[in-house]
Amino acid sequence: MYELIRTYQMDIMLALSTTCMLMAILLLFTKYMLKRRKWILFLLEIIAAFLLFFDRMAYIYAGMEGKKAFVLVRLSNFMVFFLTAWVVFGFNLYLVNMLRRDDTKELVIKRLTVVGVASVVEMIMVVITQFTGWYYYIDETNHYQRGSLFLMCYIVPIVGPLIQFTVIYEHRKEFSKRIFASFILYIFVPIIAAIIQIFAYGLSLVNIAMVLVSISLYIFTYLDINEMAVKAHRKEMEILQEDKQRVKRLLDQVLMAMVAAIETKDPFLKGHSKRVAELARKIARLSGKDEEKCDDVYDAALLHEIGVIGIPDSVLSNAQYLSKEDEDFIKEMPLIAEEILSPIKDFPNIKAAARYGSENYDGSGFPDGLKGNEIPDIARIVKIAGAYDSMTLRKKRGEILPRQLVREEFVQDSGSKYDPVYSEIMVRLIDEEERENTEKYKENMETELDCREYRDSISQGIRIMENTTRITFQCFSDKKKAEDFSAPSIVLFDSFDRSVHKNAKAISAFKYLEYGEIWFDGHYVCTSARNMEAIEGNDGEDRTERADMYEIVASRVEDHLKITMKSFGRVVDVIVALPDKSKWAYIGITGENCKIREISIRSFDKKLEKGDVKRIASDVSYIDRLESDVKNVQVDSFRSAHTKGVVVENGLKLVFHSMSLPSASFIWNCPYVVLFYSEDKKVDGKGYHEYALLKLNGENENKDEYADNTFTMKKLPAFGGWEEWKRLNKVGMEYTVSFEVKADKVTVRSDNMGIYVKNTSIIKDGQKEIYAALTGDQIALTDIRCEKIYR
């Protein structure tokens, strides 16, 4: 190691000296440091640079002849000894500067003053040495030689730093970890080097060590400054964030005060603003907006009805029957809202929904007739959330609508009244909510009913599926008079909301259809069912063991129901023929003068076969038509049946006849195209991968698990409106779907009745043979032909 340093000592000195000089220059441009401290550190770096510079010069000119060498050897050695004391003195100044913060540090400053005085004495001794040779002398060959008092010159470089260390250690908690580490290096590395140099003559270890620790002091100081700057910035950001949150809390309080004013003005809006705000934020989040933007949407939604404050009470109280003059008042709401919110300058997004919420995407709204992206993004989101809340919750401006009708509203008005992107998200949310409600309906079912008058209390509907459903409950008589009738019974029905309805408007809105009523003694009333039979069992094996226990076992085969009703006295098998296979059926539990308790519902995988249920009405089929290349199929509910897969080739064209079933009433009761792969060419077959689902009414329900899909839907001039679309589907229409295949890209196009649909699927799973199948929702698909277009 010694030989390596000795060999490259000159180069090391030059590199370290240059480094110190560069750091000193950089310090001149440093801004984030106390001025006095910066200049002391600058002085330390300059001293360290010159220390090595002169030390190097002393080695270079040692032993050389000539006047220049004579002067430089003496000057260089003088500067080396003199600047070594200056390094201790300079570090002393730096340490004093770090510690002198208040008067309590007087003892510390005195201790360091001793070191400073000793450093000055050391410098004086170096000057005296030039005349006495105490520390060193230059011999006649122009070489440096140690003097008789050479070891004394190490007292200040060794003892001085040790005294400084006592101060540093005593106040170590006042320094950062980095600064404390740099002080330790600054103190002990030169001391260790000095001890080694006593025995390693000819090496400048002390000076090299001093320069190295000076560089480390600079580096650690800079790192400490950066850390302090980061902490200061973080603190500043925390303060700013706290200020922002404080302002946000204040804004929230102001907004809620305004919401309270809106609800006071029109009590029918109670809770409306909060619900709309929550839903609008959810739509914004699903569209990919960041949380700050979502918060802006939420705030704007809270005040989207603020204009109601300026509407006369007479208009609000008569909102269901508005005159032309009243309608003009309503159209002033956006302008009134803008005027109310105009003083809020720092939050311009707040008034977006209130000012532009009545604009329609196609430009048919008011007050400005803006269209498309001219309407602020926030207003387009809040319009959809507000419409959903108004349609699904009862208010004076109209009856609530079933979710199916609400869904249809967003589908058919997408691109006209509503932004198509956000309306698509709303449709997805409705579908998700419907699935959740279906999955959780058992959790939300009543477990108790108190029935006085017949049918004054009826449970939510329990759907009869192909899988067997078992319902059990206890029933206790609650007769007021001995002659009163007391018994449980069930109501068979279909309804959008799984509820029994009596009101004519609700019956129409929820498409309520009652099939009949059945009692446990075998009596029944058949209303809209095609037929109904009740057969009492001959043996009592399946009867309940207690008089208060009742059991219902129900299942379905196509359009027939089998319901077994068990009680303590008997077992009754009931067969019900529904109007057709597309109808759903629910059981509503009710009774008369009784209390029903502990209602329990369980489902089983067991299914009945066709032969297990006696047919009491003929099969209803809508596909008794011409059959071509692919077998006809009747789809009684959403994707309940599919055609067999057809190999998709470039130029393939599917031409077929489609007719929606009599029970169909929505625009999505139309044909769908499924792109898929399975080993047996069947939808849901072995190894099934679904690439795309195209609803030919223009809905996008692709999942993109096995393919990347690009979907386009346009309403062409030939489109006659959605009512005409439904009418033509009822009558029956010829549909055409074409396919284009290029490598792993499959494009499907459909242009029927003015609805243009195009979907491009890029297959991700590497399958080369892709299949297409037809399906739909409540439709009959017949005369299906596979044609080839030669390109």
Side-chain angles (χ1 to χ4, degrees):
M1 188 67 176
Y2 291 154
E3 291 303 319
L4 181 66
I5 296 175
R6 192 185 304 276
T7 302
Y8 296 102
Q9 184 171 232
M10 297 298 103
D11 295 331
I12 293 171
M13 287 180 172
L14 179 62
L16 291 177
S17 178
T18 304
T19 301
C20 276
M21 190 61 70
L22 290 174
M23 288 182 173
I25 294 171
L26 288 175
L27 274 168
L28 297 175
F29 301 98
T30 301
K31 295 181 179 180
Y32 301 105
M33 190 184 292
L34 295 175
K35 186 176 181 180
R36 180 176 176 81
R37 190 171 301 169
K38 179 174 75 172
W39 285 111
I40 293 172
L41 192 57
F42 173 80
L43 179 64
L44 281 172
E45 297 299 327
I46 289 292
I47 291 171
F50 278 112
L51 177 63
L52 273 192
F53 172 77
F54 284 113
D55 202 5
R56 184 172 181 272
M57 296 292 289
Y59 276 99
I60 291 173
Y61 287 97
M64 293 179 63
E65 298 179 355
K67 187 176 181 180
K68 180 180 179 181
F70 180 87
V71 172
L72 286 176
V73 166
R74 284 156 180 76
L75 176 63
S76 296
N77 280 282
F78 168 76
M79 292 301 295
V80 166
F81 279 84
F82 189 82
L83 292 178
T84 298
W86 249 107
V87 168
V88 177
F89 184 77
F91 182 70
N92 206 61
L93 293 176
Y94 187 76
L95 194 54
V96 170
N97 182 262
M98 292 286 287
L99 292 172
R100 182 175 284 166
R101 295 174 183 174
D102 53 57
D103 295 335
T104 61
K105 304 295 189 294
E106 189 63 31
L107 179 62
V108 172
I109 293 173
K110 284 183 179 180
R111 225 183 308 170
L112 294 178
T113 301
V114 171
V115 175
V117 170
S119 300
V120 172
V121 171
E122 174 74 2
M123 295 178 212
I124 294 172
M125 287 294 294
V126 171
V127 173
I128 295 173
T129 293
Q130 306 306 307
F131 305 100
T132 61
W134 287 343
Y135 286 172
Y136 70 92
Y137 62 93
I138 308 300
D139 63 15
E140 60 278 4
T141 62
N142 209 26
H143 281 91
Y144 160 86
Q145 301 293 337
R146 291 177 177 178
S148 59
L149 301 179
F150 170 75
L151 292 178
M152 286 184 61
C153 72
Y154 282 90
I155 294 176
V156 169
I158 293 176
V159 177
L162 290 176
I163 295 173
Q164 291 170 339
F165 173 71
T166 62
V167 176
I168 292 169
Y169 186 78
E170 182 180 344
H171 298 276
R172 61 189 179 279
K173 292 183 180 179
E174 297 184 31
F175 306 118
S176 68
K177 290 181 179 179
R178 287 193 180 94
I179 292 298
F180 183 73
S182 69
F183 284 170
I184 296 300
L185 292 174
Y186 206 94
I187 295 294
F188 289 105
V189 170
I191 291 175
I192 294 170
I195 294 171
I196 294 173
Q197 186 165 319
I198 292 173
F199 306 99
Y201 188 78
L203 293 180
S204 190
L205 295 179
V206 174
N207 294 337
I208 290 175
M210 283 186 171
V211 172
L212 282 173
V213 294
S214 295
I215 293 173
S216 72
L217 183 63
Y218 172 90
I219 292 172
F220 280 107
T221 300
Y222 250 95
L223 291 174
D224 190 60
I225 290 172
N226 288 338
E227 185 178 354
M228 290 174 61
V230 169
K231 287 181 179 178
H233 177 70
R234 189 182 300 123
K235 184 66 176 177
E236 184 180 359
M237 292 305 297
E238 288 174 359
I239 294 171
L240 288 173
Q241 192 64 30
E242 288 175 5
D243 289 343
K244 186 178 179 180
Q245 291 175 354
R246 193 159 42 247
V247 172
K248 185 66 173 70
R249 285 194 296 270
L250 178 60
L251 176 64
D252 290 343
Q253 292 167 8
V254 172
L255 293 179
M256 293 313 297
M258 289 183 171
V259 168
I262 294 170
E263 294 177 351
T264 301
K265 178 70 174 180
D266 188 354
F268 281 91
L269 293 175
K270 183 93 173 157
H272 172 72
S273 297
K274 190 75 182 294
R275 292 191 300 271
V276 171
E278 293 289 354
L279 179 56
R281 175 152 59 190
K282 193 171 186 179
I283 294 171
R285 191 173 287 134
L286 288 173
S287 71
K289 300 192 184 304
D290 59 42
E291 281 305 307
E292 186 174 352
K293 186 67 173 178
C294 291
D295 289 341
D296 289 343
V297 170
Y298 180 89
D299 293 341
L302 285 174
L303 300 186
H304 77 285
E305 295 273 18
I306 190 71
V308 78
I309 291 175
I311 302 300
D313 292 341
S314 59
V315 175
L316 295 176
S317 62
N318 195 35
Q320 202 165 356
Y321 306 99
L322 295 176
S323 65
K324 178 66 170 64
E325 184 179 352
D326 292 341
E327 289 178 355
D328 291 340
F329 268 121
I330 295 297
K331 288 185 177 181
E332 290 293 317
M333 279 181 59
L335 301 178
I336 296 171
E338 182 179 37
E339 186 176 349
I340 292 172
L341 299 176
S342 59
I344 304 178
K345 305 293 186 184
D346 292 336
F347 300 93
N349 290 324
I350 282 181
K351 65 181 179 182
R355 175 63 176 80
Y356 301 104
S358 297
E359 301 287 357
N360 290 334
Y361 194 77
D362 62 1
S364 62
F366 63 89
D368 302 320
L370 301 180
K371 64 188 298 186
N373 292 336
E374 295 173 354
I375 307 168
D377 204 31
I378 290 176
R380 284 179 272 147
I381 295 173
V382 175
K383 182 180 183 73
I384 287 174
Y388 175 81
D389 192 73
S390 296
M391 287 187 282
T392 55
L393 291 169
R394 192 179 303 278
K395 54 189 293 186
K396 64 186 176 185
R397 295 181 178 89
E399 297 293 325
I400 59 173
L401 296 177
R403 278 183 168 75
Q404 291 87 339
L405 293 180
V406 175
R407 185 187 192 281
E408 185 174 56
E409 164 88 9
F410 287 115
V411 173
Q412 66 184 12
D413 286 342
S414 174
S416 54
K417 186 184 293 186
Y418 307 115
D419 184 304
V421 173
Y422 300 129
S423 60
E424 183 181 316
I425 293 173
M426 188 69 250
V427 168
R428 289 209 311 267
L429 288 173
I430 293 172
D431 291 343
E432 287 174 12
E433 185 177 18
E434 189 65 29
R435 282 193 292 271
E436 289 175 4
N437 290 341
T438 300
E439 292 169 1
K440 296 180 180 178
Y441 86 92
K442 291 180 184 178
E443 301 173 12
N444 301 326
M445 275 290 299
E446 308 95 325
T447 58
E448 296 183 355
L449 295 171
D450 289 328
C451 305
R452 175 57 52 197
E453 298 292 330
Y454 178 56
R455 294 182 57 160
D456 66 353
S457 181
I458 306 176
S459 73
Q460 282 282 299
I462 304 163
R463 188 179 172 192
I464 304 176
M465 310 280 286
E466 291 181 348
N467 291 351
T468 301
T469 300
R470 180 174 176 265
I471 307 165
T472 59
F473 59 88
Q474 291 178 270
C475 183
F476 306 97
S477 176
D478 191 26
K479 294 191 291 186
K480 298 299 181 183
K481 300 177 182 178
E483 63 271 19
D484 287 345
F485 178 77
S486 174
S489 62
I490 64 173
V491 180
L492 292 178
F493 67 95
D494 187 12
S495 170
F496 284 158
D497 64 347
R498 298 181 18 250
S499 298
V500 173
H501 293 284
K502 302 174 183 177
N503 178 279
K505 285 186 177 179
I507 289 173
S508 174
F510 291 93
K511 298 289 190 258
Y512 177 73
L513 183 64
E514 189 168 305
Y515 303 127
E517 302 159 278
I518 310 172
W519 284 262
F520 281 81
D521 61 2
H523 286 84
Y524 63 86
V525 175
C526 181
T527 49
S528 297
R530 285 191 291 153
N531 197 3
M532 190 178 292
E533 285 186 6
I535 305 169
E536 187 170 351
N538 295 322
D539 58 73
E541 291 182 6
D542 289 334
R543 298 173 185 177
T544 59
E545 298 177 356
R546 288 166 39 189
D548 61 348
M549 288 299 300
Y550 292 82
E551 180 178 326
I552 302 168
V553 179
S555 56
R556 173 176 184 157
V557 177
E558 295 184 342
D559 56 354
H560 276 52
L561 309 178
K562 182 179 180 181
I563 304 171
T564 302
M565 304 178 68
K566 304 177 183 181
S567 60
F568 183 70
R570 54 171 56 89
V571 176
V572 177
D573 287 328
V574 182
I575 307 298
V576 181
L578 300 177
D580 58 46
K581 299 173 188 174
S582 67
K583 295 298 183 185
W584 288 17
Y586 295 94
I587 292 175
I589 302 171
T590 186
E592 183 176 0
N593 294 317
C594 61
K595 292 184 177 181
I596 297 174
R597 299 290 183 266
E598 296 186 22
I599 300 173
S600 173
I601 306 165
R602 292 184 63 190
S603 297
F604 301 90
D605 292 334
K606 180 182 177 183
K607 294 182 181 181
L608 297 179
E609 301 296 332
K610 284 187 179 182
D612 296 333
V613 180
K614 174 188 173 184
R615 289 202 65 89
I616 59 174
S618 59
D619 186 23
V620 179
S621 175
Y622 299 98
I623 56 174
D624 292 333
R625 289 171 51 90
L626 177 67
E627 197 165 82
S628 298
D629 299 328
V630 178
K631 188 177 180 179
N632 295 347
V633 64
Q634 182 171 313
V635 188
D636 295 304
S637 59
F638 177 73
R639 295 188 64 178
S640 61
H642 301 76
T643 65
K644 190 170 183 179
V646 175
V647 177
V648 176
E649 297 176 326
N650 190 39
L652 172 67
K653 184 167 72 170
L654 292 180
V655 183
F656 56 92
H657 184 273
S658 173
M659 180 182 72
S660 58
L661 303 184
S663 57
S665 58
F666 299 112
I667 61 176
W668 55 80
N669 296 139
C670 65
Y672 307 161
V673 178
V674 184
L675 281 183
F676 71 98
Y677 168 80
S678 70
E679 294 178 16
D680 56 4
K681 300 184 181 181
K682 293 180 181 179
V683 173
D684 293 326
K686 186 178 179 181
Y688 182 73
H689 285 186
E690 185 167 304
Y691 305 115
L693 171 65
L694 277 76
K695 293 185 174 182
L696 299 190
N697 67 318
E699 289 187 64
N700 178 16
E701 289 200 7
N702 292 319
K703 294 185 174 63
D704 294 346
E705 182 177 359
Y706 298 109
D708 292 324
N709 290 287
T710 304
F711 181 85
T712 304
M713 179 269 197
K714 295 178 183 177
K715 295 176 184 176
L716 303 179
F719 180 63
W722 289 112
E723 290 304 316
E724 179 67 6
W725 165 272
K726 289 194 285 188
R727 187 190 71 80
L728 292 173
N729 273 291
K730 281 281 189 184
V731 173
M733 284 292 299
E734 188 102 330
Y735 276 83
T736 301
V737 180
S738 60
F739 299 82
E740 181 181 327
V741 180
K742 291 182 179 179
D744 60 350
K745 184 166 69 174
V746 180
T747 301
V748 185
R749 291 183 177 86
S750 169
D751 180 359
N752 297 283
M753 293 178 283
I755 295 295
Y756 174 79
V757 176
K758 176 185 175 183
N759 187 81
T760 299
S761 303
I762 299 177
I763 310 301
K764 296 193 292 188
D765 62 3
Q767 289 294 342
K768 300 302 181 184
E769 191 165 74
I770 310 300
Y771 306 110
L774 298 178
T775 184
D777 189 353
Q778 297 191 41
I779 57 164
L781 300 170
T782 57
D783 191 18
I784 306 169
R785 306 178 305 277
C786 302
E787 300 178 0
K788 178 78 173 179
I789 305 172
Y790 295 96
R791 300 179 183 278

